[in-house]
């Protein structure tokens, strides 16, 4: 599989909302305080009203449903939605839960971002599939987002 | 921080489809349903047949791209059932055909499928579509 870097994204998470036990698992929502993204072809900030809707499944896997609105430095709006999975050894996941910085190679944290935009400069985003590797930091994740070529 | 994303082969999926259901022009685009009548899948860790009864809901957009929305049931050679879905993008002008498969199974032997993300590369061949699916590591 060939990929190339699309952007690095730094996400700043606000206070997590614990929705609690729902029929599918344990649900919590992580609203974003903001963030930035930067890559060879686009850069800008993540707008409020972006969040990560998370579901902790009974098999211990965390499902993530990210809905972000991106604003490029030239004013274009891009809607990004992303499905992801995070899981790993119990001690590693516990360390993440305590807000510690953990080597991201010790757990699985991958997402599949999709983009929608009306802006012609960025319409290439409408036509591509991407894969992201996440690194959960105490103040929010860093995503390395690659375009699947 | 890992800057590269690695993958490894998961399976090659071959689908057999029957005559399409042409739903026509909808607010989202032109919807064509491809019923899946069978097929096969094969990889190092799993192999078997695609059961009849699935389909691929394909929407053609004004931009010229197609978006795919597939759901099928796989049956492994040891008789376990796997629910598989994918969404995808096909852009023939740019020779781009990629999908994002997901799997659900209750079989402990194949539970690894519940925990992985995957990428498929599609290819329309004379005898039907073929998807080369890789696990994202």
């Amino acid at each position: 599989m060939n990929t190339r870097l699309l952007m690095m994204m730094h996400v700043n998470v606000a206070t997590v909302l614990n929705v609690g036990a729902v029929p599918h698992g344990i649900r919590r929502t992580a609203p974003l305080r903001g963030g930035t993204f930067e890559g060879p072809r686009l850069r800008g900030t993540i707008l409020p009203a972006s969040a990560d809707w998370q579901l902790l499944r009974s098999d211990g896997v965390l499902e993530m449903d990210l809905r972000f609105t991106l604003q490029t430095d030239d004013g274009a709006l891009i809607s990004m939605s992303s499905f992801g999975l995070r899981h790993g050894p119990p001690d590693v996941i516990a360390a993440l839960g305590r807000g510690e910085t953990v080597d991201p190679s010790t757990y699985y944290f991958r997402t599949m971002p999709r983009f929608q935009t009306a802006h012609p400069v960025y319409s290439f985003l409408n036509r591509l599939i991407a894969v992201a590797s996440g690194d959960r930091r105490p103040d929010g994740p860093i995503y390395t987002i690659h375009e699947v070529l | 921080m890992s800057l590269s994303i690695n993958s490894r082969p998961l399976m090659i999926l071959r689908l057999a489809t029957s005559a399409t259901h042409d739903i026509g022009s909808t607010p989202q685009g032109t919807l064509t349903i491809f019923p899946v009548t069978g097929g096969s899948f094969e990889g190092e860790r799993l192999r078997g047949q695609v059961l009849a009864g699935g389909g691929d809901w394909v929407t053609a957009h004004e931009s010229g791209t197609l978006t795919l929305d597939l759901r099928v049931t796989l049956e492994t050679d040891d008789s376990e059932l796997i629910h598989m879905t994918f969404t995808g993008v096909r852009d023939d002008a740019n020779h781009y055909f990629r999908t994002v498969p997901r799997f659900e199974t209750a079989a402990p032997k194949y539970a690894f499928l519940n925990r992985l993300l995957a990428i498929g590369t599609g290819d329309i061949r004379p005898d039907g579509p073929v998807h080369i699916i890789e696990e994202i590591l």
Side-chain angles (χ1 to χ4, degrees):
Chain A
M1 186 184 76
N2 293 317
T3 64
R4 65 171 161 173
L5 181 69
L6 185 61
M7 64 178 107
M8 298 288 299
M9 179 175 283
H10 288 73
V11 174
N12 194 342
V13 173
T15 305
V16 171
L17 308 169
N18 287 299
V19 177
V22 301
H24 300 300
I26 297 169
R27 180 166 283 291
R28 67 187 177 204
T29 305
L32 264 54
R33 193 168 276 138
T36 59
F37 59 94
E38 172 144 25
R41 287 171 287 171
L42 71 170
R43 61 201 56 77
T45 57
I46 307 174
L47 298 183
S50 297
D52 178 5
W53 281 263
Q54 302 181 343
L55 182 72
L56 182 61
R57 303 191 321 212
S58 59
D59 63 354
V61 174
L62 183 72
E63 288 191 355
M64 287 163 285
D65 176 21
L66 285 64
R67 307 286 164 122
F68 294 177
T69 304
L70 314 183
Q71 185 170 42
T72 62
D73 57 357
D74 56 354
L77 293 179
I78 299 164
S79 173
M80 173 179 132
S81 65
S82 195
F83 176 81
L85 297 178
R86 197 170 85 201
H87 54 83
D91 56 324
V92 172
I93 297 303
L96 287 176
R98 291 192 298 270
E100 296 172 15
T101 298
V102 174
D103 176 356
S105 68
T106 59
Y107 57 97
Y108 190 86
F109 182 4
R110 302 287 183 269
T111 69
M112 302 294 224
R114 299 288 297 271
F115 304 92
Q116 293 181 59
T117 183
H119 197 287
V121 168
Y122 301 102
S123 62
F124 68 95
L125 293 169
N126 293 324
R127 310 170 165 244
L128 62 81
I129 297 280
V131 177
S133 180
D135 174 1
R136 179 70 168 90
R137 301 296 182 90
D139 55 351
I142 300 170
Y143 292 102
T144 305
I145 305 177
H146 280 241
E147 171 184 5
V148 177
L149 296 175
Chain B
M1 187 182 317
S2 65
L3 282 171
S4 67
I5 292 178
N6 298 315
S7 63
R8 65 167 164 170
L10 183 62
M11 67 168 79
I12 295 178
L13 174 72
R14 293 181 166 82
L15 297 173
T17 60
S18 61
T20 58
H21 303 315
D22 299 321
I23 303 297
S25 185
T26 76
Q28 284 77 29
T30 302
L31 176 61
T32 305
I33 302 168
F34 291 78
V36 171
T37 54
S40 65
F41 63 97
E42 172 137 31
E44 223 171 76
R45 289 168 284 171
L46 70 173
R47 63 200 57 78
Q49 59 170 336
V50 182
L51 300 183
D56 191 359
W57 283 254
V58 179
T59 302
H61 302 276
E62 275 181 21
S63 63
T65 59
L66 305 174
T67 52
L68 290 76
D69 177 18
L70 170 134
R71 46 199 64 210
V72 294
T73 306
L74 310 181
E75 184 178 41
T76 62
D77 58 357
D78 53 357
S79 301
E80 300 289 2
L81 294 180
I82 299 165
H83 169 64
M84 173 182 174
T85 63
F86 68 52
T87 58
V89 175
R90 182 175 152 195
D91 177 9
D92 287 342
N94 292 302
H95 305 290
Y96 192 78
F97 187 179
R98 301 287 180 274
T99 64
V100 182
R102 292 200 53 205
F103 305 91
E104 288 179 35
T105 183
K109 181 178 174 185
Y110 299 106
F112 67 93
L113 293 169
N114 293 325
R115 309 164 79 94
L116 61 78
L117 294 181
I119 287 281
T121 299
D123 188 17
I124 302 299
R125 300 187 187 169
D127 55 345
V130 175
H131 297 274
I132 297 166
I133 300 173
E134 292 181 72
E135 171 185 6
I136 305 297
L137 296 175

